[in-house]
Every structure is written in C-alpha cells, then in structure tokens.
Amino acid sequence: MRGIYIHIPFCHQICHYCDFNKVFFENQPVDEYIESIDKELKTLKQKGTDFTKVETVFFGGGTPTALNARQLDRLLEIVHSHIDVSSLTEFTTEANPDELTNDKLSVLKNGQINRLSLGVQSFDEELLKKIGRSHSPMQAIEVVNNARKAGFDNISIDLIYALPGQTQSQWEATLDQALALELPHYSGYSLIVEPKTVFYNLMKKGRLPLPGEDAETSMFSELIDRMESSGRHQYEISNFAKVGKESIHNMIYWENDEYAGIGAGAHGYLNGVRYANIAPLKRYMEHVETLELPRIEENTVTLQERMEEEMFLGLRKTEGVSLEHFAQKFGVSLDEKYGNVISNLIRKDLIEQHGNRIRLTRTGIFRGNEAFQQFLG
C-alpha cells in the first residue's frame, strides 16, 4: 500500500457539477465522523494492513477545509497516531479558497501538510456563480498569497473548462490569471455532466448551454499549449507540473498501485481487491463502531482486469506504459497480449511506441477514451 485517501464529505455549499459523496455541513455529526476515521484506520491496521510503506496521504471531499481549525487539528492528530508522517513524500489536502483561513493554514502547516490543492475552477466571477462556487477570483488569489506566507510552496489549483456558456476568451483569461500566480502544478478538466447533479437536471430540461465539442477541443488545446510554454509539462492527460512537482498521490492511481480509501463513500484498492465504503454518513459511522471494515462493495481484480487497468490507467500518463514493466508484472509481453490492438491504434495515430514505452500521441490525448476502450475485454 503506497497511499491513503481520507474522505471528508462535508460542504458549506454544493457545486452544481459535483457528484462526489457529500452533505451540507450544518447539523452534521462532524466531530463524531472524525473519530470514525480513527476507528476505521485502527480496524484496518488490526486486520493486518501495513502502514509502514505509505508514501502519501490525501484529504479529499467534499471539502476538508469545511472543518474548523480545531476539527482539522484533531484529524491531523489522528493521522499522526497511525502513520509516521515525517516519512511521507507527500501530504495533501484539498481546500476551497474562501474557507482556507490563516488559522487553518497554521494548523495544516503544523500538522506537516506539505501540498495544497485548491478548487479554484475559474477566475471569471460570473462563471463561478453559475457553477455554484462560493468564492471570488480575488479570494483565490489572496489564499495563494497567504499560503505562501504560511510556508507552503507546493500549491496546485484545479480549473474546469467547457463550462455552461463559457467562451474561448473567458477560458484564456482564466489561464492568464492562473499562470500569473506562478504555481508549480495545475490541473485542468473538461466539465463532465454527471447524474444526480444540478447540471444534470438542467441538461435534461434543455437549460444547460454547453459549448460544443469543437469549442471544448479548442479549450483543451489552449490549455496544453499554454502550460507547456510556461514550463509546466503535461505528465498526465489533465495534469501539468514543473519537473519534480507532479502529484505523487495521483501517480499511485495511474500506476495501478494499491492505496487505502478511508471514510464514507471512499474507494480503495488493497490486496488485489477494489472496494467501496458505505456512503450514507450515519450508516458508515454505525458500521465502524462494530470494528468491522465499512465495505459495501468488493471486487477481487482478475489478472485480465489488472492488465486492462494497467493499460487504460497507464496510458493516461504522457510517458505511457513500459513494455519491460508490463512483462515483469504480468509474465507476458505487451506485444503478445495486445499486439493487434497496439498496431491498430498506431495506424489510427492514437498511440506510438517511443523507445521501450507505448504512449498516446497528441491526437490520442484528445481521443483518449477511444484508445482506452480498445484494451477492455
């Protein structure tokens, strides 16, 4: 197990595009939930999970910074009680710009958090309101400055493009402002309208004016070109970083390595089993009281599934999949297993062989799903 993901499902405001497991903060058993995280970690250790080789811890949500400073401090205390935090390569929390106060920054710094991932999404005031964000562009800029003053130098921001009504010029203005902050890492995602979201309901009613496919492609192309020209290399389809500032925790996912998912609705991959935790808050908390793991779904990954995952996750990385590593891991050559698929994708200019690796071409980066599907049985 290389990483631990801890899910904090509380939000002060629900974004219109979000389909993650979350609840409004008010009148929720927040303190009790934090203690449930402690119980799940204890149970996982008691059942034999080795925490000594953990490289990364990641607080996600929901919104971890919806917690107040005291609650964040308690959460960090729990993590320290189970893991030698000083040995971690990366310790990240997601954060909302309007919630990351100086008091919370101090708590996070003292708790040895060394990476911040800020949910900025856009620097356009009207677009932020349209997507249900509660912060302003100025708050996003201020929180970056305050984080730097507090001693954080590994800061990432998330951006979303192809938003309802968004124009190319609005996207370019957001990129201008984002890059002006001179951050080491940026993530840029195309809007995906998921079921059970405000945007999904609007789309079903014909009231969600999304940019077309050509506009989305143009925005993605602008993102890639601007990041590369600013010295942030594209190391994964949606992620850009200065060399050495790549997200190690997310690389665990793309390298198809194992990690624990802790908390209500969290997903994990341990001992060859992919699992999902119980999502409803109170049911999750009741279950961890029994000292059993709060699993609602488990799937033992077959050898065939592992090879498929190795390909469609590994090809998300711009360095692609190593022929040598694949053969060592699965006891069969990549050519023997997927030679026909690879030849076909090379003919379509979706992938290429570069030295000892198979990777997406520039065209393939834009049509990744088409390439990934060819590896699925």
Side-chain angles (χ1 to χ4, degrees):
M1 178 179 73
R2 291 180 58 195
I4 296 177
Y5 170 84
I6 297 177
H7 190 70
I8 307 300
F10 307 108
C11 293
H12 289 294
Q13 182 161 327
I14 305 297
C15 302
H16 298 343
Y17 53 84
C18 180
D19 73 330
F20 293 114
N21 188 43
K22 74 279 183 186
V23 293
F24 280 110
F25 187 91
E26 295 302 319
N27 303 315
Q28 296 293 339
V30 180
D31 292 326
E32 294 87 344
Y33 178 80
I34 293 170
E35 298 308 316
S36 293
I37 295 293
D38 184 36
K39 294 182 177 76
E40 186 181 354
L41 285 165
K42 283 178 180 174
T43 301
L44 199 60
K45 288 178 85 171
Q46 288 167 358
K47 291 186 178 293
T49 301
D50 182 8
F51 283 30
T52 61
K53 296 181 180 179
V54 172
E55 300 172 32
T56 70
V57 174
F58 191 105
F59 294 160
T63 315
T65 51
L67 305 182
N68 62 36
R70 175 188 59 78
Q71 290 162 339
L72 279 171
D73 191 51
R74 175 57 185 151
L75 178 63
L76 286 160
E77 182 181 44
I78 287 168
V79 172
H80 280 254
S81 73
H82 293 288
I83 301 160
D84 179 8
V85 173
S86 64
S87 70
L88 293 176
T89 308
E90 187 180 274
F91 193 175
T92 303
T93 186
E94 292 180 344
N96 273 357
D98 56 335
E99 295 175 343
L100 195 51
T101 62
N102 287 333
D103 283 350
K104 293 180 187 180
L105 282 166
S106 178
V107 167
L108 296 175
K109 189 66 179 175
N110 290 337
Q112 298 183 51
I113 294 276
N114 58 19
R115 184 173 183 273
L116 300 176
S117 178
L118 304 176
V120 173
Q121 318 313 358
S122 175
F123 284 97
D124 186 285
E125 187 106 45
E126 290 305 310
L127 279 176
L128 286 171
K129 291 176 182 176
K130 281 184 182 179
I131 66 178
R133 299 296 287 171
S134 55
H135 70 271
S136 68
M138 185 53 65
Q139 284 175 313
I141 296 167
E142 288 175 354
V143 82
V144 168
N145 292 332
N146 290 340
R148 283 175 164 150
K149 289 176 186 175
F152 291 96
D153 59 5
N154 196 357
I155 303 170
S156 175
I157 62 174
D158 287 354
L159 302 172
I160 303 179
Y161 60 93
L163 293 169
Q166 187 179 33
T167 64
Q168 181 75 15
S169 62
Q170 284 177 313
W171 175 233
E172 290 175 5
T174 275
L175 290 176
D176 286 342
Q177 182 57 72
L179 289 168
L181 293 172
E182 288 288 340
L183 298 175
H185 191 284
Y186 296 88
S187 298
Y189 303 100
S190 171
L191 175 69
I192 298 175
V193 181
E194 302 283 5
K196 300 180 182 178
T197 63
V198 172
F199 276 172
Y200 184 80
N201 293 333
L202 289 173
M203 186 177 70
K204 295 288 280 186
K205 296 174 183 176
R207 293 169 50 199
L208 194 68
L210 295 173
E213 188 175 326
D214 289 346
E216 180 180 336
T217 299
S218 178
M219 290 180 192
F220 187 29
S221 182
E222 184 75 14
L223 171 67
I224 294 171
D225 293 343
R226 293 286 298 280
M227 289 294 162
E228 291 290 348
S229 65
S230 72
R232 279 79 179 169
H233 72 107
Q234 185 180 23
Y235 69 98
E236 189 269 347
I237 287 177
S238 302
N239 286 273
F240 307 81
K242 290 184 175 180
V243 174
K245 293 297 185 179
E246 300 84 357
S247 170
I248 299 168
H249 185 83
N250 287 341
M251 288 295 284
I252 292 171
Y253 301 151
W254 302 319
E255 290 172 356
N256 205 17
D257 285 331
E258 296 196 344
Y259 60 95
I262 304 296
H267 291 245
Y269 181 30
L270 290 176
N271 303 315
V273 176
R274 290 199 181 274
Y275 67 86
N277 276 354
I278 296 167
L281 208 61
K282 291 184 179 178
R283 279 185 54 209
Y284 163 80
M285 293 169 61
E286 289 167 358
H287 197 91
V288 295
E289 289 294 332
T290 69
L291 303 182
E292 290 296 325
L293 293 172
R295 307 279 168 81
I296 194 170
E297 182 182 321
E298 292 184 327
N299 173 48
T300 300
V301 184
T302 66
L303 177 61
Q304 174 66 25
E305 288 169 336
R306 287 173 59 212
M307 289 190 284
E308 291 172 358
E309 291 175 351
E310 191 78 12
M311 296 308 297
F312 70 72
L313 290 171
L315 283 172
R316 290 194 63 88
K317 300 178 296 175
T318 51
E319 68 174 15
V321 176
S322 163
L323 278 68
E324 182 180 1
H325 180 70
F326 187 94
Q328 289 176 347
K329 190 169 184 177
F330 300 111
V332 61
S333 74
L334 196 52
D335 183 63
E336 183 180 346
K337 181 65 184 175
Y338 291 118
N340 290 337
V341 173
I342 289 169
S343 296
N344 185 42
L345 291 172
I346 288 174
R347 282 194 299 271
K348 292 182 177 180
D349 191 33
L350 295 181
I351 66 172
E352 63 186 359
Q353 183 164 348
H354 183 75
N356 192 39
R357 290 183 172 273
I358 298 295
R359 66 185 189 184
L360 294 176
T361 62
R362 169 85 179 205
T363 301
I365 287 173
F366 285 83
R367 293 162 56 191
N369 287 338
E370 183 180 339
F372 303 152
Q373 287 170 1
Q374 302 306 307
F375 294 98
L376 300 178

